[in-house]
Amino acid sequence: RSFDEPFYYFTDTGKSANGPLPTDRPNTFKGYVYYTQPWNKRHTSTIGIFQVAYQGTPVTTYADIGSAQSGSPLEATYLFGRGKWVDATTDGDGNITIGNPYNKRTPWYTQSDLNFRHEVKINPGNSVQAIAFEATLTNLFNQKAVTQYQASLNAWNASTPLVPGGQSIYGGAPFYQAVETGYNAQNTITNSGVILSNEYGKASGWQAARTVRLTLRYTF
């Protein structure tokens, strides 16, 4: 999996950054119920309810190490390992203070969907020929769970990467030695003059809004 820079897979402690993958959901629940009501020989109604509940996905702090560019991550690295998050604050001078790494996930994702169908047989003696109206409501209650947080510690437009031991990515062997054997993340952030992203920790993705799909079907 080390298709690019090997330091991507080391944390600030010099250990493996292994951890839960971004789509990891240890607990998921899904169920559905259908009920059909025949009113007479011509008319039949069916209602279906779908319900899901998914545990949130891991949220992982990352930052550019050794080099950066404006507008997007360049050498984005999970400083504390997959699924590990740190809270960060700045003082009046812009100095960043980070907390201790901890496990963080997005909130639980729950959603209810509804399907209603009413069928009218054109000829009760013909079991095939019929007209049906159907309505499907996805995210019936218009829930708005957060699905993603901005996790970049350093501001993309500032191009201020962490440089452990004062070494940039162009420093050769000393740089790789510094980033793969461990360093003090707090001191490195301070000494590197990292500028905290003003979007860090804020929600950046949400559950899709309610949608309604209407269908008219003729079966013959």
Side-chain angles (χ1 to χ4, degrees):
R1 67 181 186 179
S2 298
F3 66 93
D4 202 340
E5 293 290 355
F7 65 83
Y8 292 165
Y9 311 101
F10 290 85
T11 69
D12 63 325
T13 63
K15 297 180 179 179
S16 171
N18 282 345
L21 296 176
T23 55
D24 178 72
R25 296 184 187 271
N27 298 292
T28 62
F29 303 92
K30 182 185 296 185
Y32 62 91
V33 175
Y34 266 109
Y35 178 74
T36 299
Q37 174 64 53
W39 301 104
N40 51 46
K41 291 183 178 180
R42 285 182 178 271
H43 297 268
T44 302
S45 296
T46 301
I47 188 170
I49 299 175
F50 303 79
Q51 181 64 51
V52 299
Y54 301 145
Q55 186 177 1
T57 54
V59 182
T60 306
T61 294
Y62 68 86
D64 282 319
I65 291 186
S67 184
Q69 65 181 8
S70 179
S72 64
L74 179 63
E75 303 295 354
T77 304
Y78 295 141
L79 304 179
F80 312 102
R82 291 182 180 273
K84 295 294 184 180
W85 181 266
V86 295
D87 295 323
T89 58
T90 56
D91 60 20
D93 296 322
N95 297 312
I96 301 174
T97 300
I98 61 173
N100 294 322
Y102 64 95
N103 296 326
K104 182 175 180 176
R105 289 179 176 270
T106 57
W108 274 75
Y109 182 102
T110 60
Q111 181 167 301
S112 304
D113 302 332
L114 177 70
N115 176 264
F116 174 79
R117 174 187 171 95
H118 184 76
E119 183 178 87
V120 181
K121 292 186 182 300
I122 297 176
N123 182 356
N126 185 333
S127 61
V128 175
Q129 199 171 19
I131 294 177
F133 168 79
E134 187 172 343
T136 301
L137 289 81
T138 303
N139 193 6
L140 176 65
F141 300 111
N142 203 29
Q143 295 172 280
K144 298 179 180 178
V146 175
T147 58
Q148 181 176 316
Y149 291 97
Q150 171 57 268
S152 175
L153 191 66
N154 62 307
W156 291 348
N157 62 345
S159 299
T160 54
L162 280 73
V163 284
Q167 298 289 331
S168 76
I169 197 171
Y170 307 106
F175 166 76
Y176 290 94
Q177 177 74 15
V179 296
E180 294 178 20
T181 57
Y183 50 90
N184 185 295
Q186 176 64 77
N187 291 344
T188 301
I189 289 171
T190 300
N191 296 335
S192 302
V194 174
I195 296 177
L196 181 66
S197 169
N198 58 9
E199 298 295 322
Y200 180 70
K202 295 182 180 179
S204 58
W206 292 266
Q207 185 173 2
R210 177 175 53 227
T211 60
V212 180
R213 185 181 66 191
L214 303 178
T215 304
L216 183 64
R217 181 180 291 109
Y218 173 56
T219 305
F220 60 93

